Amino acid sequence: MSDGFLKKAYGARDAASTRELYNDWAASYDAEVGTNGYATPGRCAEALATYLPDKSLPILDFGCGTGLSGLALKLAGFETIDGLDLSEDMLAQAREKGVYRSLSLIRANAPLSHNPGDYAAIAAIGVIGAGAAPISVFDTLMNGLDKGGMLVFSFNDHALADPENERRLCDWTDCGAAHLLFREYGDHLPGIDLKSNVYVLEKA
Ligand SMILES: C[S@@+](CC[C@H](N)C(=O)[O-])C[C@H]1O[C@@H](n2cnc3c(N)ncnc32)[C@H](O)[C@@H]1O
């Protein structure tokens, strides 16, 4: 079991130090999370595949990191995946996976710049919560979906420990602005005994 960066990853930090953390982690990220059995990308990709049968429709992989999430989406059958990330070094690793149509850098708190109709779904896999993106990103992603578009995302145990995160999800579902199609608790990083919820939401 390896816990080099994982040991320090889950502290609260601002966008600049988040970018620095992931730039420093980029070269060893796949090995470290792989050794610890990183399961959430595969769980998210399979969940989305259940609700989005047309795999030719483009998907936006927000916070794509080194591309493990894109790889899982590709393995689940999705053909057209664009990636966005805060860290140029994570994006460089993602480029080597060869699974993305495009990869772009995004500033923290920047609005999404795609056009309506560009994406049938957005993925944010291992992205929102302590050590990565703030919960405000959740609204940005929901606002970036078309009516009927889907958001597949995860909250790990650290994210679930902060009630504000699931509360933000309920803000959308309670008023009928989105429908929760799927929620499942399961393995995230079994090597460090961390689990996650995987969700699929459909924008109403
Ligand atoms: C734990 S990694 C997950 C990467 C990938 N989705 C995966 O499953 O392996 C979190 C990623 O989110 C990115 N990130 C953190 N905050 C972000 C933000 N505000 N906007 C875009 N990406 C962000 C980080 O740079 C990092 O690559």
Side-chain angles (χ1 to χ4, degrees):
M1 186 178 83
S2 157
D3 61 357
F5 278 89
L6 283 170
K7 240 181 186 160
K8 52 190 169 189
Y10 297 117
R13 47 173 60 78
D14 62 17
S17 55
T18 299
R19 187 187 312 104
E20 197 181 320
L21 168 78
Y22 285 101
N23 278 338
D24 290 347
W25 196 358
S28 60
Y29 177 90
D30 285 9
E32 187 173 356
V33 301
T35 302
N36 286 290
Y38 190 30
T40 295
R43 292 175 53 219
C44 284
E46 280 169 30
L48 183 63
T50 302
Y51 295 97
L52 194 58
D54 184 350
K55 306 293 185 301
S56 68
L57 295 171
I59 311 291
L60 177 64
D61 183 13
F62 182 90
C64 63
T66 62
L68 293 179
S69 39
L71 193 55
L73 290 164
K74 198 78 167 184
L75 289 172
F78 294 102
E79 296 163 14
T80 310
I81 310 160
D82 293 334
L84 289 178
D85 204 276
L86 190 66
S87 155
E88 45 280 270
D89 291 341
M90 294 293 269
L91 284 171
Q93 296 287 330
R95 207 158 282 120
E96 291 186 10
K97 301 273 188 311
V99 298
Y100 292 96
R101 175 176 67 176
S102 75
L103 284 165
S104 311
L105 195 61
I106 185 169
R107 281 179 296 105
N109 308 318
L112 297 175
S113 61
H114 63 265
N115 296 312
D118 280 354
Y119 296 112
I122 299 177
I125 300 174
V127 174
I128 300 174
I135 188 61
S136 56
V137 161
F138 182 82
D139 293 331
T140 304
L141 300 179
M142 288 303 293
N143 288 325
L145 283 174
D146 298 329
K147 183 177 158 54
M150 289 177 201
L151 179 66
V152 60
F153 68 102
S154 61
F155 287 152
N156 68 23
D157 286 330
H158 298 293
L160 291 169
D162 179 352
E164 172 59 19
N165 290 326
E166 276 210 322
R167 198 176 299 134
R168 195 65 68 96
L169 161 62
C170 294
D171 287 346
W172 284 81
T173 55
D174 287 356
C175 67
H179 307 301
L180 182 61
L181 302 180
F182 180 87
R183 173 170 54 199
E184 179 204 63
Y185 190 61
D187 281 345
H188 181 62
L189 288 163
I192 56 168
D193 199 22
L194 199 63
K195 292 183 179 287
S196 64
N197 263 347
V198 163
Y199 309 81
V200 180
L201 270 184
E202 182 181 37
K203 189 166 174 182

